[in-house]
Structure formats: structure tokens, C-alpha cells
Amino acid sequence: MHLNTVFLRRSIAVIAASLLAASAYAQSVSFVEPADGATVTSPFKVKFAVSGMAVKPAGDMTAKTGHHHLLINTGPMKAGDMIPMDDKHLHFGKGQTETDVTLPPGQYTLTMQFANGAHQSYGPELSKSIQVTVK
């Protein structure tokens, strides 16, 4: 086997391993439940998940940490924006990863927004929106 071919194969293997390792640390959020498009009855369980970051309570400003927020009928927030405290922006500053939500019948967009210990959004990259119908 030619030396250049061996070098090329080893280089490809190293690059592939690096990409695999990087993807293992990709940062994202997701809804464990309900599923996108679900029909639910109120109150209903909402469970959050995050990858590549750790859940910590509000006030903890450790790098790569934060906590969940549930935005009702509003989309993701820009990175660095402070998440308001009102009935459309629910805060889970104790580090909760699930909650029971009570909403009147209707169609809703639920957006999970991950934010740092100061309630500053990590931006659309760390948000996820789903649609639910409450019967």
C-alpha cells in the first residue's frame, strides 16, 4: 500500500472520530412530552430535555448550564434577551425538567427556551416549538 494512501486513510479516520465526538456534545433542547401535534386535556404534563448543557437553578452562571422556560404562543427569543416573567413565559428556575400545565381549550404553540442563570436566552439554537390542542 502506498504511503500516501495510508496517511489519507488515517487522516479520514481521525476527522471522522473528531466529528463524532463533536456531535456527541451538540447543544439542543427537546420536548419529551407532549409530542408535536398532540391533543391533550388540561392539566397536562410537559417534560423537557437538554443535550450538551447541564440544568442548574437560576443564579448559577456556570458555563454551559441553564434552566428551562416554557413560552406560550410566542416563539424563540434572541440570544442574550431577558425572558420576561408573565403568564406567557413560565420559568423553571429551580432546575425543574417537568411540570403540569393548565390551559383553556384551544390550539397552542409551546416553545421551550433554555436560558442562563440570569434568565438570558441562549437563542433559537436552544429552543424548540411544538403545537398542541387542548380539549
Side-chain angles (χ1 to χ4, degrees):
M1 187 176 285
H2 193 271
L3 187 58
N4 285 339
T5 304
V6 172
F7 177 77
L8 181 61
R9 286 185 179 173
R10 285 187 181 163
S11 296
I12 290 171
V14 168
I15 291 169
S18 297
L19 290 173
L20 203 69
S23 69
Y25 294 105
Q27 298 170 337
S28 66
V29 294
S30 59
F31 283 93
V32 175
E33 69 178 78
D36 188 22
T39 298
V40 297
T41 56
S42 203
F44 60 97
K45 179 79 66 191
V46 176
K47 292 184 181 181
F48 313 112
V50 63
S51 296
M53 301 280 276
V55 175
K56 297 285 184 177
D60 188 326
M61 294 299 290
T62 305
K64 295 187 180 184
T65 69
H67 59 279
H68 297 286
H69 298 80
L70 183 63
L71 286 51
I72 300 170
N73 287 340
T74 185
M77 298 183 64
K78 290 189 321 187
D81 281 0
M82 184 74 67
I83 298 177
M85 288 198 149
D86 58 31
D87 60 348
K88 292 187 184 255
H89 300 84
L90 308 180
H91 290 244
F92 300 97
K94 293 180 182 175
Q96 306 97 307
T97 58
E98 63 180 67
T99 189
D100 289 322
V101 175
T102 302
L103 292 171
Q107 294 184 326
Y108 295 91
T109 298
L110 302 180
T111 300
M112 180 193 331
Q113 181 68 66
F114 206 65
N116 68 17
H119 304 282
Q120 295 169 314
S121 169
Y122 280 117
E125 298 79 15
L126 278 172
S127 72
K128 176 73 175 179
S129 294
I130 62 170
Q131 306 294 316
V132 297
T133 301
V134 178
K135 287 277 184 178

